[in-house]
Amino acid sequence: AGVVKAEDYTLPAYVDRRDVPLPEVAFVRDLSAQQRALKEKEKASWSALSVDEKVELYRIKFNESYAEMKKGTNEWKTIVGGVLFFLGLTGVILIWQKHFMYGPTPHTFSEEWLSAQTKRMLDMRVNPVEGISAQWDFEKNEWKK
Amino acid sequence: MRGLLARRMKFHLLGAFLVSVGCASLYKFAVAEPRKRAYAEFYKNYDPMKDFEAMKAAGVFESAPAK
């Protein structure tokens, strides 16, 4: 007839979404004989249906209920665990690097150099309002308590 | 119909307003005001000449040697 068969993905699809309360198609596409009989019974009065039959009709039409859709998973535990694991792995790498790879720290980090450096900063009154010179007591020549 | 967006929007608009005003006032009272007070205190009895003499004596000036 010259008409291409409609691919599955081009047809209206069922979707479990909180903002789509009534999807375009029912969930179950091909009904079994039992389900078809139930659909016939549905055409009569609904009070004749038992509770199980009503639930079965619901499950034909929908996959997950809203409660099931909104239920959380335990995925966050995996994520937190993975993050902590890789942080730890990074720490191990850094420790290895410090121990095996890096050379000695520059001489400007020695105790003598650092104290001479701090003394010069205080002499110059670096940051006298809120910073380092504000923490030094110039009269008593010691750090403020 | 059920005002779902309206309710959510009202909640979040109020929340956003409170959070931003809260952050601003927290910053003002925890950072800005103490800093202003620290500067006022520092300069209340500040003697620049005395400070200069102290720094000169310590020998940090190239153009004003300690001698």
Side-chain angles (χ1 to χ4, degrees):
Chain A
V3 177
V4 181
K5 172 184 177 296
E7 296 288 334
D8 244 357
Y9 57 79
T10 62
L11 297 168
Y14 176 84
V15 60
D16 269 325
R17 282 183 60 112
R18 285 183 303 171
D19 50 357
V20 179
L22 294 171
E24 293 169 330
V25 287
F27 175 56
V28 178
R29 206 167 32 170
D30 312 304
L31 301 171
S32 73
Q34 233 179 337
Q35 287 169 324
R36 257 178 276 136
L38 187 53
K39 282 302 233 188
E40 283 304 312
K41 196 171 172 200
E42 194 192 13
K43 293 179 184 171
S45 164
W46 286 342
S47 42
L49 297 166
S50 75
V51 173
D52 288 326
E53 288 174 327
K54 289 179 191 167
V55 172
E56 176 61 24
L57 283 167
Y58 179 87
R59 288 295 170 185
I60 290 176
K61 205 164 176 72
F62 300 102
N63 180 22
E64 281 186 322
S65 67
Y66 263 79
E68 289 161 4
M69 249 193 270
K70 291 202 257 187
K71 193 170 57 175
T73 63
N74 282 329
E75 186 185 13
W76 70 272
K77 297 180 194 171
T78 313
I79 297 191
V80 170
V83 167
L84 292 174
F85 172 75
F86 279 105
L87 281 175
L89 186 68
T90 308
V92 167
I93 292 177
L94 291 175
I95 292 171
W96 183 92
Q97 284 180 322
K98 178 71 181 135
H99 194 262
F100 287 107
M101 191 186 85
Y102 287 122
T105 52
H107 65 100
T108 51
F109 286 94
S110 66
E111 277 299 317
E112 310 83 45
W113 191 283
L114 286 177
S115 24
Q117 181 175 290
T118 317
K119 173 159 175 37
R120 187 172 152 79
M121 281 168 72
L122 294 170
D123 287 341
M124 287 195 284
R125 305 294 192 272
V126 168
N127 286 335
V129 182
E130 281 191 316
I132 190 168
S133 301
Q135 312 295 336
W136 180 260
D137 191 339
F138 284 97
E139 264 97 65
K140 290 193 226 143
N141 236 355
E142 58 184 12
W143 291 111
K144 286 186 186 166
K145 298 293 176 287
Chain B
M1 284 179 316
R2 295 184 200 210
L4 293 171
L5 177 65
R7 196 183 78 201
R8 179 190 162 83
M9 198 171 244
K10 192 158 60 170
F11 174 79
H12 281 83
L13 276 172
L14 183 69
F17 178 76
L18 290 176
V19 165
S20 40
V21 167
C23 284
S25 33
L26 194 68
Y27 182 86
K28 180 181 167 76
F29 290 115
V31 178
E33 286 304 315
R35 189 168 286 165
K36 283 194 259 183
R37 258 181 279 129
Y39 273 81
E41 279 302 315
F42 179 79
Y43 283 109
K44 198 159 59 167
N45 302 315
Y46 181 60
D47 183 5
M49 290 317 296
K50 187 173 105 175
D51 222 25
F52 170 71
E53 292 302 330
M55 285 197 262
K56 183 168 166 206
V60 291
F61 291 127
E62 272 190 42
S63 46
K67 190 171 32 72

